[in-house]
Amino acid sequence: MEKNTRKELIVSALENGTVIDHIPSNNVFQVIKILNLDSSENQILFGTNLESQKFGKKGIIKVKNKYFEKEEINKIAIVAPSATLIVIKDFEIIEKKQVEVPSKVNKFIKCINPNCVTNHESIPTHFTVIDKESVKIQCHYCEKTTAKEHFKFI
């Protein structure tokens, strides 16, 4: 009798929900955190360091019965500008799109300037994206610029 040595992990297809694909592997947990998926009641499947012909390594997150709002999609784009969103209904792909880095970012990133008014008063943060390629932002209030690797999420 011939033994089959091929091993596969079978993950069931989503009936309804969203797949976030092509996330840089080192950003998967950050995406989970900023979307509050770590405290979600929805079924969530994720993978990191998966092989990708396009990126070498990638991450993926599948969220059952969840469709993301524009503000949530903007958060994904800031952390993982290479991500693709795939919306699924009744096991069919309804929409597949590349996320786009927004031109404005409000309320979810903390200004790194300790003297900024947003760090001393209850004023929501407001940034302009000054470089969509490398994802650099500038504070509306103190004009301090921050690179993606220094973002602190609120």
Side-chain angles (χ1 to χ4, degrees), residues 104 106 111 116 125-128 138-144:
K104 304 280 183 194
N106 300 316
C111 183
C116 183
T125 61
H126 181 75
F127 297 93
T128 300
Q138 182 176 40
C139 180
H140 173 76
Y141 300 101
C142 71
E143 299 183 348
K144 180 78 172 169

Side-chain angles (χ1 to χ4, degrees):
M1 188 180 211
E2 195 174 308
K3 185 178 178 183
N4 185 354
T5 57
R6 184 175 173 183
K7 295 181 181 179
E8 287 185 45
L9 175 64
I10 306 296
V11 177
S12 60
L14 276 181
E15 181 176 358
N16 295 296
T18 305
V19 176
I20 309 167
D21 199 2
H22 302 112
I23 305 166
S25 286
N26 59 338
N27 294 112
V28 170
F29 294 107
Q30 194 173 35
V31 171
I32 289 169
K33 183 76 176 150
I34 65 166
L35 295 175
N36 296 315
L37 296 176
D38 51 345
S39 59
S40 173
E41 296 292 319
N42 300 49
Q43 181 184 75
I44 299 162
L45 300 166
F46 68 90
T48 62
N49 296 314
L50 304 172
E51 290 182 26
S52 167
Q53 289 181 345
K54 192 174 182 180
F55 296 103
K57 299 275 185 190
K58 71 172 184 174
I60 190 169
I61 302 170
K62 290 183 171 188
V63 188
K64 185 175 183 179
N65 297 324
K66 172 76 175 154
Y67 303 101
F68 295 103
E69 301 294 326
K70 184 166 182 60
E71 187 174 311
E72 293 169 310
I73 295 169
N74 286 345
K75 288 179 180 182
I76 296 166
I78 289 292
V79 173
S82 60
T84 304
L85 281 183
I86 304 164
V87 176
I88 299 171
K89 292 185 180 174
D90 296 322
F91 296 104
E92 297 290 326
I93 295 174
I94 300 302
E95 182 181 14
K96 184 175 182 175
K97 66 179 178 182
Q98 178 77 32
V99 297
E100 292 181 33
V101 176
S103 56
K104 304 280 183 194
V105 177
N106 300 316
K107 302 178 189 171
F108 68 90
I109 297 177
K110 180 179 176 162
C111 183
I112 63 166
N113 178 359
N115 296 321
C116 183
V117 66
T118 61
N119 289 318
H120 298 286
E121 297 180 27
S122 56
I123 297 172
T125 61
H126 181 75
F127 297 93
T128 300
V129 177
I130 57 173
D131 184 345
K132 289 188 177 192
E133 189 82 20
S134 64
V135 191
K136 256 188 198 168
I137 59 175
Q138 182 176 40
C139 180
H140 173 76
Y141 300 101
C142 71
E143 299 183 348
K144 180 78 172 169
T145 60
T146 308
K148 178 180 163 184
E149 53 274 2
H150 299 291
F151 291 169
K152 291 195 178 10
F153 296 96
I154 301 170

